[in-house]
Amino acid sequence: MATQLPDDFKCPISLEIMSDPVILASGHTFDRTSIQRWLDSGHRTCPITKLPLPEHPFLIPNHALRSLISNYTLVTPSNSQPCPQPQTLCSALTSPSSSVETKLESLTHLAKLTKRDSALRRKLTESGAVPAVLKCVDSGDPSLQEKALSLLLNLSLDDDNKVGLVAEGAINRVVKVLRVGLPDCRAIAATIVTSLAVVEVNKATIGAYPDAIPALVRLLIAGKGREKKEAATALYAICSFADNRRRAIDCGAVPILMGLLDSGLERAIEVLGLLVKCKEGREEMMKVNGCVKVLVEVLRNGSSRGVQYGLFTLNCLCNYNESFCFEARNEGVLEICMGLVEEENEKIRRYTSSLLQTLRGNHAIG
């Protein structure tokens, strides 16, 4: 018989396999459709913890879990040699006498097993295997490094592991990979940052780590498609912590994100929607030529989520500086907003209403 899909893949609300997992402020993951329906019904508590949520809760895409779900394949009986027991694999990984080939085989098996077994993920971290995994991340062997990063990503999926992995020194290794690793490794490393940043205390730790945010910003410039996307997602995750917004701005993230947004990477607007919340971010956006035109293009052609962040960002800028109001009007934003006031999405309706009031009232905060 094929093994059942793991419970980690199921939405706590619908109990169905998640197609678009997102992380709530409480740290719990839900399918976007289910949690959005919960929020649109007026609830402002976490369905699991019952603790209060912000008035405007953010839903952070859980790209790591989504990737695991999409890549998951059912295990069926075969005549092939059975996989070694986890304890044997762990011993081979931690043994100083194990060859590179042996460690690579152990990492490959463990990465596959930990995709679907949360209990095994906890056992591995409790067994003292993490230092051995991190040592493989430090390896100069690209294959060994990539498998070690995949295993580290799996281990980071459990909330109970996130703080412990940071304490073990995971950030140091991950940042090094972001700086000098191969493209696939850099993409996984950025995804690990996103996963670890689910825990609030880790956001501050990651942001304060030397070169963590600069490495992500550099990846926005030098990385390829997947790397840029994962780097933007990681920045979004850690910039919900206010101090990290200023760090990202100081690294020159604003014009880079504007350029990426203009070239079609919509995820950049999510990060800009956080950076615009601070004065430094707004001032940097004011310096970018064509800023309003890029944001208006998001309003015209973006996804529902992109339009939300585009409306919010443009409203913050128009409230901050009178010139943005004039430019937004000239770009036809009033007409665009009139077409959005009847949108089904409650956030789009609310942000549209706020932007209309700003453009009609022209009350800049200076």
Side-chain angles (χ1 to χ4, degrees), residues 309-330:
Y309 280 92
L311 288 165
F312 179 82
T313 303
L314 192 54
N315 189 39
C316 288
L317 292 172
C318 288
N319 263 306
Y320 185 66
N321 189 280
E322 196 172 301
S323 65
F324 271 90
C325 288
F326 292 124
E327 192 174 348
R329 289 196 199 96
N330 290 337

Side-chain angles (χ1 to χ4, degrees), residues 202-224:
N202 282 353
K203 298 184 199 308
T205 304
I206 294 168
Y209 193 88
D211 215 30
I213 290 177
L216 288 170
V217 173
R218 283 195 295 271
L219 199 55
L220 291 177
I221 304 171
K224 302 194 182 298

Side-chain angles (χ1 to χ4, degrees), residues 58 60 197 200 203 235-245 274 277:
F58 284 108
I60 303 174
E200 200 66 26
K203 298 184 199 308
L235 281 172
Y236 178 82
I238 62 178
C239 283
S240 62
F241 181 69
D243 288 352
N244 290 340
R245 296 170 197 160
L274 292 176
K277 292 182 177 182

Side-chain angles (χ1 to χ4, degrees), residues 75-91:
V75 179
T76 54
S78 67
N79 296 323
S80 61
Q81 187 176 0
C83 177
Q85 289 297 311
Q87 186 174 356
T88 303
L89 295 169
C90 189
S91 297

Side-chain angles (χ1 to χ4, degrees), residues 127-148:
S127 71
V130 170
V133 177
L134 293 176
K135 191 173 181 180
C136 291
V137 172
D138 272 338
S139 167
D141 185 299
S143 298
L144 199 63
Q145 185 178 76
E146 184 175 353
K147 287 299 180 183

Side-chain angles (χ1 to χ4, degrees), residues 64-326:
L65 182 56
R66 183 173 185 170
S67 176
L68 289 178
I69 293 172
S70 64
N71 292 330
Y72 185 87
T73 53
L74 293 176
V75 179
T76 54
S78 67
N79 296 323
S80 61
Q81 187 176 0
C83 177
Q85 289 297 311
Q87 186 174 356
T88 303
L89 295 169
C90 189
S91 297
L93 182 63
T94 56
S95 173
S97 61
S98 293
S99 65
V100 170
E101 291 74 17
T102 299
K103 290 181 178 180
L104 183 59
E105 184 179 359
S106 296
L107 287 168
T108 301
H109 284 307
L110 287 171
K112 288 180 179 178
L113 292 171
T114 52
K115 273 187 178 183
R116 57 184 182 273
D117 193 337
S118 59
L120 177 57
R121 294 197 288 265
R122 287 190 292 272
K123 286 178 182 177
L124 276 179
T125 54
E126 292 168 0
S127 71
V130 170
V133 177
L134 293 176
K135 191 173 181 180
C136 291
V137 172
D138 272 338
S139 167
D141 185 299
S143 298
L144 199 63
Q145 185 178 76
E146 184 175 353
K147 287 299 180 183
L149 286 166
S150 297
L151 177 54
L152 188 64
L153 174 58
N154 291 351
L155 296 179
S156 75
L157 294 178
D158 286 359
D159 288 353
D160 291 343
N161 287 343
K162 296 181 192 294
V163 175
L165 289 172
V166 171
E168 292 267 18
I171 299 302
N172 179 30
R173 273 64 168 215
V174 168
V175 170
K176 183 178 178 182
V177 174
L178 287 173
R179 290 174 54 245
V180 300
L182 293 177
D184 286 345
C185 291
R186 291 200 301 243
I188 299 171
T191 309
I192 291 171
V193 172
T194 302
S195 180
L196 293 175
V198 169
V199 177
E200 200 66 26
V201 68
N202 282 353
K203 298 184 199 308
T205 304
I206 294 168
Y209 193 88
D211 215 30
I213 290 177
L216 288 170
V217 173
R218 283 195 295 271
L219 199 55
L220 291 177
I221 304 171
K224 302 194 182 298
R226 182 188 170 202
E227 297 165 82
K228 291 178 187 289
K229 192 177 294 185
E230 295 299 342
T233 302
L235 281 172
Y236 178 82
I238 62 178
C239 283
S240 62
F241 181 69
D243 288 352
N244 290 340
R245 296 170 197 160
R246 295 180 182 88
R247 291 175 177 132
I249 292 162
D250 289 342
C251 291
V254 168
I256 296 167
L257 288 164
M258 277 292 179
L260 290 173
L261 183 59
D262 193 28
S263 64
L265 182 63
E266 192 181 76
R267 194 155 294 158
I269 189 60
E270 299 178 16
V271 189
L272 290 167
L274 292 176
L275 302 186
V276 78
K277 292 182 177 182
C278 63
K279 181 180 178 181
E280 296 87 346
R282 294 190 291 271
E283 290 178 345
E284 286 300 309
M285 290 180 205
M286 287 175 60
K287 298 175 185 177
V288 178
N289 290 330
C291 171
V292 173
K293 287 186 178 181
V294 173
L295 294 175
V296 170
E297 190 63 24
V298 174
L299 300 190
R300 287 197 174 106
N301 300 310
S303 67
S304 177
R305 185 172 175 83
V307 171
Q308 288 178 43
Y309 280 92
L311 288 165
F312 179 82
T313 303
L314 192 54
N315 189 39
C316 288
L317 292 172
C318 288
N319 263 306
Y320 185 66
N321 189 280
E322 196 172 301
S323 65
F324 271 90
C325 288
F326 292 124

